[in-house]
Amino acid sequence: MEYAYDDQNIFAKILRGEIPNKTVYENDHALAFDDIAPQAPVHVLVIPKGPYMSLDHFARDASAAEHHGFMQAVAEVCRITGLEAGFRGISNTRTHGIQDVPHYHMHILGGRQLGRMLSD
Ligand code: AMP
């Protein structure tokens, strides 16, 4: 699989500070910020700072430090937003996953009962 990262995507622009975001948590390897169109009371996006297009790209090519930093950000988002009752982490990927932004991100959704995982 060839991964061709496009640095003009909107999350790359957020990482460069070219457009604003509502930061929830940040460390050396990851940034977490509120989704601009929330679909639940808590809807945060966790993204790596490195140029990875998708979950499988990140899983294959990210360093151990990047993996650790990303998962630490997920844990901090859960703690900061108070998701003790549970949540859903979603990483839409490419065409079948209906991924709109080609920079790897995990949606963290919670704060209400979310319903079953797939609708069709
Ligand atoms: P996906 O379809 O999984 O690629 O999801 C992309 C997500 O990015 C959507 O939930 C959008 O609402 C969100 N989004 C797009 N632009 C921004 C932005 N400037 N700030 C925060 N979230 C955004």
Side-chain angles (χ1 to χ4, degrees):
M1 176 85 190
E2 279 291 313
Y3 297 107
Y5 182 79
D6 173 10
D7 69 4
Q8 293 307 305
N9 76 76
I10 196 146
F11 295 167
K13 292 178 180 176
I14 286 176
L15 286 169
R16 290 194 295 267
E18 294 169 11
I19 58 172
N21 74 92
K22 292 177 95 174
T23 298
V24 174
Y25 175 78
E26 181 172 13
N27 63 30
D28 286 349
H29 297 292
L31 176 69
F33 54 94
D34 286 331
D35 195 291
I36 203 166
Q39 296 186 36
V42 174
H43 188 170
V44 176
L45 302 172
V46 183
I47 69 172
K49 291 187 174 179
Y52 301 103
M53 297 175 63
S54 57
L55 170 58
D56 53 334
H57 186 195
F58 184 80
R60 190 186 73 177
D61 290 349
S63 68
E66 288 175 309
H67 280 279
H68 181 258
F70 187 88
M71 285 304 175
Q72 183 182 47
V74 171
E76 285 299 307
V77 167
C78 293
R79 183 186 66 76
I80 292 164
T81 60
L83 293 177
E84 288 83 2
F87 67 97
R88 186 166 293 149
I90 298 174
S91 291
N92 299 317
T93 304
R94 292 191 291 283
T95 306
H96 282 184
I98 313 182
Q99 179 179 4
D100 292 323
V101 179
H103 181 109
Y104 172 43
H105 50 284
M106 182 182 290
H107 298 255
I108 303 290
L109 295 144
R112 65 168 168 81
Q113 174 59 249
L114 295 167
R116 295 281 172 192
M117 186 166 65
L118 297 176
S119 58
D120 53 25

